[in-house]
Amino acid sequence: MKHNEYKKLVQLALYSELNNDEQKELENHLKSCEECRKEMEMQKNLLNVISETEKKEIDDTLLHEARVQLRGALRMESGKQTFGFQFFLNLFEFFIPPYRMAIAGVTTLLIGFFIGYIFIKPSPEIRYITKNADGTENVFSQQDVKISNISFIDSDASDGEVEFEFDAVKPMHFKGRVDDPNVQSVLTYAMLNEQNPGSRLNSINAMVSENTSSFDPEIKKALITVAITDKNPGVKREALNLLKRLPYDEDIKQAYLYVLSSDTSSALRITAIKALIETVQSGQKLSPKDLKIFKEKSKDENNNYIRYLTKTILQEHD
Amino acid sequence: MSLSDNELIIQANNGNHSAFEELIYRYDKSVLSIALNYVHDNDDAKDIYQEVFIRVYRSLKKFEMRSEFSTWLFRIATNVCLTYKSRSKKHLQLSINEEFEEDEHKKSYELISDNRDPGELATNTELGSLISDAVDSLSDKQRITFTLKHYEGYKIREIAEMLNCKEGTVKKYLFDAIRNLRKNLDSVYAAAY
């Protein structure tokens, strides 16, 4: 074996990727080759340095946030596949692939005629269709689509073609009941992901309005996430207030306790402890672990009012 | 007794959302870890995580159970990582199905200027930043291979399955990644040790 090949074996050895024969061969070589021994030390040092400073562990908060956002996205996704759409999807499953596209096209055309017939007005939409390199069709632009962030993959037009990608945003308008699962999907997603704090706030208010007749467990999870992780204190406070309208349970209690013990805003800590006082006054019991948090708060809390409320809740519980 | 992945897939495909959640929660921490160690940014990692499982959700009915679910899932995860990086670069479009063609000259490896004192650089913060830059400067395939091997501890055989390439190809990505990291960090880790 050549000397350079032993150097590669050194790398694989550090990752425990050698079989027994290769391992023995390398060990024998290392006994007689100082250069390779140094190489091994250098590589060990390099990998140790990288390991010490670069490894990023997943903490529970990050995983929780990712899961909550995913739930919102999946709700949006499943919303797309409801009603007639799902029916047609299931129908298409019966057909073999070569006919699927044709049937989809014909069906889409029929739906278009049907919708046109119902509303008795022609569609103002103009669609420009292009073909991708693999021959599939692609909607290039539509009348009301905003195109932005164009980035070129291949801007060299010498062969008559260019390739690029872009964001196409189409405004949608929707009106529906707040307890409609589709509306709730959009609102949950907005509550967790919308950049504008005002929109997040409006989504929360709409979601838990007086007219909401039932609460999806996902809404509770989303509200808790917002109450704990949102960057805007106003949005957090609204989420905390709205949690009070949901049936009280252990998750909600833990959210209040988390805010009380960890949030830097005294206003939010007050909101949380007031909510907890209300639950205790309505007969809910606190666990010894919860009481320990209150006892610690009654000593360590900087805010006088919160210290006073903490003592109140301890007295209420006794 | 807990259900197997395939049993959960069947239930999920029949509309059981809890089964789908149970299935993905078996592996989602690993997916998030791969993403985070690939992009080094929490928000980007969550974006990748979401994209991976949306693709899984959309494609689960097409999964034929000929391979392990985890292999299929991590193949999607690595593909999303590579595509995500490509999007952020705005000028590259890569596919993991391509045979490797690494153009090492397209990357800038001059991370440490000659007039800086290595001893001075070797503070924790700067060292972390330099290493982060060095890892980020690897080509996409070198970086995903290095991430999967070094941080996630997968075997070369498993990485080859995820990237849909030969084990020899994975070894080459790994050797190239380490050679480039060494080139970039030589003065730093020599000073630190």
PDB file of all heavy atoms in Angstrom, chain A residues 37-52:
ATOM      1  N   ARG A  37       2.338   8.645  12.165  1.00  0.00           N
ATOM      2  CA  ARG A  37       1.939   8.849  13.570  1.00  0.00           C
ATOM      3  C   ARG A  37       1.641  10.332  13.813  1.00  0.00           C
ATOM      4  O   ARG A  37       0.674  10.696  14.467  1.00  0.00           O
ATOM      5  CB  ARG A  37       3.048   8.373  14.519  1.00  0.00           C
ATOM      6  CG  ARG A  37       3.125   6.853  14.666  1.00  0.00           C
ATOM      7  CD  ARG A  37       3.823   6.456  15.955  1.00  0.00           C
ATOM      8  NE  ARG A  37       5.193   6.943  16.028  1.00  0.00           N
ATOM      9  CZ  ARG A  37       6.257   6.302  15.517  1.00  0.00           C
ATOM     10  NH1 ARG A  37       6.083   5.146  14.869  1.00  0.00           N
ATOM     11  NH2 ARG A  37       7.464   6.800  15.632  1.00  0.00           N
ATOM     12  N   LYS A  38       2.522  11.195  13.263  1.00  0.00           N
ATOM     13  CA  LYS A  38       2.293  12.647  13.395  1.00  0.00           C
ATOM     14  C   LYS A  38       0.996  13.053  12.698  1.00  0.00           C
ATOM     15  O   LYS A  38       0.226  13.881  13.195  1.00  0.00           O
ATOM     16  CB  LYS A  38       3.462  13.430  12.791  1.00  0.00           C
ATOM     17  CG  LYS A  38       4.673  13.490  13.691  1.00  0.00           C
ATOM     18  CD  LYS A  38       5.751  14.351  13.061  1.00  0.00           C
ATOM     19  CE  LYS A  38       6.971  14.410  13.966  1.00  0.00           C
ATOM     20  NZ  LYS A  38       8.108  15.082  13.288  1.00  0.00           N
ATOM     21  N   GLU A  39       0.790  12.449  11.542  1.00  0.00           N
ATOM     22  CA  GLU A  39      -0.434  12.730  10.790  1.00  0.00           C
ATOM     23  C   GLU A  39      -1.667  12.394  11.636  1.00  0.00           C
ATOM     24  O   GLU A  39      -2.644  13.160  11.681  1.00  0.00           O
ATOM     25  CB  GLU A  39      -0.418  11.884   9.500  1.00  0.00           C
ATOM     26  CG  GLU A  39      -1.687  11.932   8.679  1.00  0.00           C
ATOM     27  CD  GLU A  39      -1.866  13.259   7.962  1.00  0.00           C
ATOM     28  OE1 GLU A  39      -0.874  13.987   7.821  1.00  0.00           O
ATOM     29  OE2 GLU A  39      -3.022  13.555   7.572  1.00  0.00           O
ATOM     30  N   MET A  40      -1.588  11.279  12.305  1.00  0.00           N
ATOM     31  CA  MET A  40      -2.724  10.860  13.134  1.00  0.00           C
ATOM     32  C   MET A  40      -2.958  11.863  14.264  1.00  0.00           C
ATOM     33  O   MET A  40      -4.112  12.231  14.550  1.00  0.00           O
ATOM     34  CB  MET A  40      -2.476   9.475  13.704  1.00  0.00           C
ATOM     35  CG  MET A  40      -3.708   8.854  14.322  1.00  0.00           C
ATOM     36  SD  MET A  40      -3.562   7.079  14.326  1.00  0.00           S
ATOM     37  CE  MET A  40      -5.259   6.573  14.371  1.00  0.00           C
ATOM     38  N   GLU A  41      -1.896  12.311  14.890  1.00  0.00           N
ATOM     39  CA  GLU A  41      -2.020  13.284  15.978  1.00  0.00           C
ATOM     40  C   GLU A  41      -2.614  14.601  15.474  1.00  0.00           C
ATOM     41  O   GLU A  41      -3.489  15.197  16.113  1.00  0.00           O
ATOM     42  CB  GLU A  41      -0.647  13.551  16.623  1.00  0.00           C
ATOM     43  CG  GLU A  41      -0.224  12.495  17.617  1.00  0.00           C
ATOM     44  CD  GLU A  41      -1.271  12.226  18.703  1.00  0.00           C
ATOM     45  OE1 GLU A  41      -1.680  13.195  19.371  1.00  0.00           O
ATOM     46  OE2 GLU A  41      -1.712  11.063  18.840  1.00  0.00           O
ATOM     47  N   MET A  42      -2.108  15.042  14.319  1.00  0.00           N
ATOM     48  CA  MET A  42      -2.609  16.298  13.740  1.00  0.00           C
ATOM     49  C   MET A  42      -4.102  16.205  13.479  1.00  0.00           C
ATOM     50  O   MET A  42      -4.877  17.117  13.766  1.00  0.00           O
ATOM     51  CB  MET A  42      -1.884  16.613  12.427  1.00  0.00           C
ATOM     52  CG  MET A  42      -0.433  16.987  12.588  1.00  0.00           C
ATOM     53  SD  MET A  42      -0.267  18.691  13.112  1.00  0.00           S
ATOM     54  CE  MET A  42      -0.291  19.511  11.547  1.00  0.00           C
ATOM     55  N   GLN A  43      -4.500  15.090  12.905  1.00  0.00           N
ATOM     56  CA  GLN A  43      -5.915  14.932  12.562  1.00  0.00           C
ATOM     57  C   GLN A  43      -6.785  14.832  13.797  1.00  0.00           C
ATOM     58  O   GLN A  43      -7.903  15.345  13.835  1.00  0.00           O
ATOM     59  CB  GLN A  43      -6.097  13.709  11.674  1.00  0.00           C
ATOM     60  CG  GLN A  43      -5.393  13.875  10.359  1.00  0.00           C
ATOM     61  CD  GLN A  43      -6.238  13.380   9.195  1.00  0.00           C
ATOM     62  OE1 GLN A  43      -7.414  13.117   9.346  1.00  0.00           O
ATOM     63  NE2 GLN A  43      -5.618  13.248   8.042  1.00  0.00           N
ATOM     64  N   LYS A  44      -6.268  14.158  14.806  1.00  0.00           N
ATOM     65  CA  LYS A  44      -7.014  14.075  16.074  1.00  0.00           C
ATOM     66  C   LYS A  44      -7.234  15.475  16.624  1.00  0.00           C
ATOM     67  O   LYS A  44      -8.331  15.820  17.060  1.00  0.00           O
ATOM     68  CB  LYS A  44      -6.205  13.263  17.103  1.00  0.00           C
ATOM     69  CG  LYS A  44      -6.576  11.808  17.187  1.00  0.00           C
ATOM     70  CD  LYS A  44      -5.834  11.192  18.353  1.00  0.00           C
ATOM     71  CE  LYS A  44      -5.839   9.685  18.255  1.00  0.00           C
ATOM     72  NZ  LYS A  44      -4.954   9.062  19.244  1.00  0.00           N
ATOM     73  N   ASN A  45      -6.161  16.275  16.626  1.00  0.00           N
ATOM     74  CA  ASN A  45      -6.261  17.648  17.133  1.00  0.00           C
ATOM     75  C   ASN A  45      -7.287  18.452  16.353  1.00  0.00           C
ATOM     76  O   ASN A  45      -8.111  19.158  16.929  1.00  0.00           O
ATOM     77  CB  ASN A  45      -4.902  18.353  17.059  1.00  0.00           C
ATOM     78  CG  ASN A  45      -3.954  17.865  18.121  1.00  0.00           C
ATOM     79  OD1 ASN A  45      -4.369  17.161  19.037  1.00  0.00           O
ATOM     80  ND2 ASN A  45      -2.684  18.196  17.987  1.00  0.00           N
ATOM     81  N   LEU A  46      -7.200  18.339  15.058  1.00  0.00           N
ATOM     82  CA  LEU A  46      -8.129  19.092  14.209  1.00  0.00           C
ATOM     83  C   LEU A  46      -9.581  18.732  14.539  1.00  0.00           C
ATOM     84  O   LEU A  46     -10.422  19.605  14.760  1.00  0.00           O
ATOM     85  CB  LEU A  46      -7.843  18.788  12.731  1.00  0.00           C
ATOM     86  CG  LEU A  46      -8.845  19.370  11.741  1.00  0.00           C
ATOM     87  CD1 LEU A  46      -8.747  20.876  11.680  1.00  0.00           C
ATOM     88  CD2 LEU A  46      -8.625  18.780  10.345  1.00  0.00           C
ATOM     89  N   LEU A  47      -9.858  17.434  14.580  1.00  0.00           N
ATOM     90  CA  LEU A  47     -11.234  17.000  14.816  1.00  0.00           C
ATOM     91  C   LEU A  47     -11.688  17.351  16.232  1.00  0.00           C
ATOM     92  O   LEU A  47     -12.850  17.681  16.463  1.00  0.00           O
ATOM     93  CB  LEU A  47     -11.374  15.501  14.538  1.00  0.00           C
ATOM     94  CG  LEU A  47     -11.096  15.100  13.088  1.00  0.00           C
ATOM     95  CD1 LEU A  47     -11.261  13.596  12.892  1.00  0.00           C
ATOM     96  CD2 LEU A  47     -12.007  15.844  12.116  1.00  0.00           C
ATOM     97  N   ASN A  48     -10.737  17.311  17.186  1.00  0.00           N
ATOM     98  CA  ASN A  48     -11.100  17.710  18.550  1.00  0.00           C
ATOM     99  C   ASN A  48     -11.471  19.182  18.622  1.00  0.00           C
ATOM    100  O   ASN A  48     -12.440  19.558  19.269  1.00  0.00           O
ATOM    101  CB  ASN A  48      -9.934  17.442  19.521  1.00  0.00           C
ATOM    102  CG  ASN A  48      -9.830  15.977  19.857  1.00  0.00           C
ATOM    103  OD1 ASN A  48     -10.795  15.230  19.697  1.00  0.00           O
ATOM    104  ND2 ASN A  48      -8.658  15.549  20.300  1.00  0.00           N
ATOM    105  N   VAL A  49     -10.671  20.009  17.950  1.00  0.00           N
ATOM    106  CA  VAL A  49     -10.952  21.459  17.952  1.00  0.00           C
ATOM    107  C   VAL A  49     -12.323  21.716  17.352  1.00  0.00           C
ATOM    108  O   VAL A  49     -13.142  22.463  17.903  1.00  0.00           O
ATOM    109  CB  VAL A  49      -9.865  22.225  17.157  1.00  0.00           C
ATOM    110  CG1 VAL A  49     -10.321  23.649  16.879  1.00  0.00           C
ATOM    111  CG2 VAL A  49      -8.563  22.254  17.921  1.00  0.00           C
ATOM    112  N   ILE A  50     -12.598  21.076  16.228  1.00  0.00           N
ATOM    113  CA  ILE A  50     -13.889  21.294  15.565  1.00  0.00           C
ATOM    114  C   ILE A  50     -15.037  20.800  16.455  1.00  0.00           C
ATOM    115  O   ILE A  50     -16.054  21.469  16.599  1.00  0.00           O
ATOM    116  CB  ILE A  50     -13.920  20.599  14.190  1.00  0.00           C
ATOM    117  CG1 ILE A  50     -12.901  21.267  13.262  1.00  0.00           C
ATOM    118  CG2 ILE A  50     -15.302  20.661  13.578  1.00  0.00           C
ATOM    119  CD1 ILE A  50     -12.669  20.529  11.978  1.00  0.00           C
ATOM    120  N   SER A  51     -14.829  19.661  17.078  1.00  0.00           N
ATOM    121  CA  SER A  51     -15.899  19.094  17.921  1.00  0.00           C
ATOM    122  C   SER A  51     -16.208  19.993  19.106  1.00  0.00           C
ATOM    123  O   SER A  51     -17.364  20.204  19.463  1.00  0.00           O
ATOM    124  CB  SER A  51     -15.487  17.720  18.449  1.00  0.00           C
ATOM    125  OG  SER A  51     -15.306  16.849  17.381  1.00  0.00           O
ATOM    126  N   GLU A  52     -15.167  20.530  19.721  1.00  0.00           N
ATOM    127  CA  GLU A  52     -15.370  21.329  20.936  1.00  0.00           C
ATOM    128  C   GLU A  52     -16.130  22.620  20.653  1.00  0.00           C
ATOM    129  O   GLU A  52     -16.866  23.110  21.496  1.00  0.00           O
ATOM    130  CB  GLU A  52     -14.020  21.685  21.558  1.00  0.00           C
ATOM    131  CG  GLU A  52     -13.400  20.528  22.315  1.00  0.00           C
ATOM    132  CD  GLU A  52     -11.979  20.836  22.724  1.00  0.00           C
ATOM    133  OE1 GLU A  52     -11.594  22.006  22.689  1.00  0.00           O
ATOM    134  OE2 GLU A  52     -11.248  19.888  23.049  1.00  0.00           O
TER     135      GLU A  52
END
